Amino acid sequence: VSVQDHDTERDGKVHVQHAVPEAGEGAGEERRSAPDGDGCGQRERGPAEELQEPVVHRVDPARVDRRVEQHHVHRGERCDAEAQHQSAVRPRLLAQRTRRVAERAEQGDPAAQLLAAELYSRGLGVRRNIEEAARLYEAAALQGDREATFQLAMMLLDGVGIARDRERAFQMMSEAAEAGHLLARFNHAQILLSQARGAEDEEAAVRQFRLAAEAGLADAQYAMAQMYLNGIGEREPDQVAARQWLLRAARQNHDTAQLDLATMMVAGEGGDVDFDTGFSWMKRAAEMGNVAARNRLAKLYRMGLGTEGDSIEAAAWYLLARQSGLFDPEMEDHLFGLDEEEIDRARERAASLR
């Protein structure tokens, strides 16, 4: 069974995101703020408290003590005054700390140089100054700071804050990668792959991808899956290995990995056919906004694979994909087969999914 798109757009975006709980882990828990103390602070309410019925106190309005009302008014004024005080003090504290960091940076402290460069690049506590950020990154990089080396390499590649110099950028990226910087390893691998002239050069890129993937970088894990799917380097195509790498990236909420993994599970590629798990991964990718996953999820609902068949749900997910520019003749035929009432229900459902 295949749910491949007959579409005019394939969502191939790559994102590095934090892991989320597995299905069922922490599901349904919602935390809300409730006042404590004098009402200026907030504490978190746990799920058990949320399930409790609220306590309702019935008071005769005629017996309300005006002094209590006055207390609440004064308390509200005090909270406002504290907030105004904090909003006035924080910028001054940030400016003072920024000046101390800048002083240490000028004295040659590489950690301070890196921090100051970040502050200048983002405009935190100081006026944004990309050129000064580049100068400080370079100063820290010359002292062996791998993060500064990586950041400088990226600026050299893009020509931001410093003159573009691809040759020097590649050298800096290589140095940061050799120092163990994960994103540098991933970017260095991409550079090596783009310049590869044969299997030996490709294998050098794969080694960098693998180092970053084994260290937990989701983008690199997805890249390893592509290496095995396409037989890059000194290896034959291996769908089993590719599916394993996709699973590792998918567990870190890499939406494109979730899409590809779900597609392989539904088709029985690289392992057994698993409609239920394939549907779950496809739904997670679709809920994250992956356009291709939304279209393929619509097909799973239409065919009833891994879930109960649902023509309205299928139409709703396809309408979401179509709003992003994807066009699938097969799903257009599905919409054509619905009556006006069903189309209206699908539109309402699509609006609730956004």
Side-chain angles (χ1 to χ4, degrees):
V1 178
S2 173
V3 292
Q4 293 284 353
D5 308 323
H6 301 289
D7 55 316
T8 57
E9 177 178 322
R10 169 66 163 80
D11 186 350
K13 62 182 180 180
V14 177
H15 298 294
V16 183
Q17 303 195 31
H18 295 293
V20 298
E22 294 296 324
E25 179 182 342
E29 293 189 5
E30 182 177 336
R31 303 185 67 83
R32 299 179 183 173
S33 295
D36 79 307
D38 63 0
C40 295
Q42 298 286 324
R43 70 179 180 82
E44 294 293 323
R45 295 181 65 190
E49 292 178 279
E50 291 288 348
L51 293 175
Q52 294 176 359
E53 291 295 324
V55 178
V56 179
H57 299 284
R58 303 190 182 279
V59 182
D60 182 355
R63 300 180 60 188
V64 174
D65 189 342
R66 294 294 300 173
R67 288 175 298 176
V68 175
E69 293 183 359
Q70 292 170 4
H71 167 72
H72 283 288
V73 170
H74 295 325
R75 184 180 65 182
E77 290 174 350
R78 179 162 59 82
C79 289
D80 291 342
E82 289 179 1
Q84 291 173 5
H85 174 71
Q86 290 297 327
S87 64
V89 169
R90 284 173 182 167
R92 291 200 299 270
L93 290 175
L94 181 58
Q96 292 171 2
R97 291 170 182 171
T98 301
R99 284 196 296 271
R100 288 198 293 269
V101 169
E103 290 172 0
R104 289 171 51 203
E106 291 305 319
Q107 292 169 4
D109 184 337
Q113 289 168 342
L114 175 63
L115 178 55
E118 288 291 315
L119 296 175
Y120 277 112
S121 67
R122 301 182 186 186
L124 298 175
V126 292
R127 187 181 298 277
R128 191 164 183 261
N129 188 331
I130 300 299
E131 290 75 16
E132 181 64 9
R135 185 187 72 81
L136 289 165
Y137 278 134
E138 185 169 19
L142 291 173
Q143 297 192 68
D145 188 289
R146 66 183 185 182
E147 175 65 24
T149 304
F150 169 70
Q151 294 294 343
L152 180 61
M154 296 300 293
M155 296 180 89
L156 286 165
L157 275 174
D158 298 332
V160 175
I162 193 170
R164 177 177 285 127
D165 187 336
R166 295 181 65 84
E167 184 176 344
R168 189 182 176 208
F170 295 165
Q171 178 60 36
M172 301 297 285
M173 194 71 74
S174 175
E175 291 177 7
E178 291 300 320
H181 193 286
L182 292 187
L183 288 175
R185 281 177 171 165
F186 177 76
N187 282 276
H188 187 224
Q190 289 186 306
I191 292 170
L192 290 173
L193 197 60
S194 69
Q195 298 177 339
R197 297 180 179 179
E200 185 176 345
D201 293 337
E202 292 176 347
E203 193 59 28
V206 172
R207 282 195 295 271
Q208 291 295 326
F209 278 135
R210 184 182 294 278
L211 286 170
E214 293 289 0
L217 188 65
D219 271 348
Q221 291 167 348
Y222 181 76
M224 285 301 300
Q226 301 308 305
M227 298 300 103
Y228 278 104
L229 279 174
N230 297 293
I232 301 297
E234 299 172 354
R235 60 187 46 75
E236 295 296 321
D238 185 342
Q239 290 188 335
V240 174
R243 184 161 157 171
Q244 292 171 349
W245 280 112
L246 286 174
L247 179 60
R248 294 177 67 171
R251 284 173 173 166
Q252 295 200 69
N253 239 24
H254 192 293
D255 63 325
T256 311
Q258 291 170 348
L259 165 70
D260 291 352
L261 175 64
T263 303
M264 293 186 76
M265 287 182 165
V266 170
E269 297 172 346
D272 296 333
V273 171
D274 191 341
F275 293 143
D276 292 345
T277 308
F279 173 84
S280 296
W281 282 119
M282 194 72 78
K283 193 167 188 291
R284 285 176 67 170
E287 289 172 342
M288 289 181 63
N290 187 293
V291 177
R294 287 177 169 179
N295 186 53
R296 296 185 193 181
L297 181 66
K299 293 183 178 183
L300 293 178
Y301 273 116
R302 182 177 61 81
M303 294 184 288
L305 294 178
T307 186
E308 291 289 331
D310 190 328
S311 61
I312 302 302
E313 197 75 5
W317 282 105
Y318 175 61
L319 287 172
L320 279 182
R322 192 169 69 167
Q323 288 169 8
S324 299
L326 185 146
F327 181 85
D328 189 321
E330 183 180 333
M331 291 307 299
E332 289 291 325
D333 288 343
H334 175 72
L335 292 180
F336 186 75
L338 302 179
D339 59 34
E340 290 185 8
E341 180 184 353
E342 290 172 325
I343 289 292
D344 288 340
R345 288 168 56 196
R347 286 172 177 160
E348 290 179 4
R349 176 57 178 155
S352 72
L353 291 171
R354 281 199 289 267

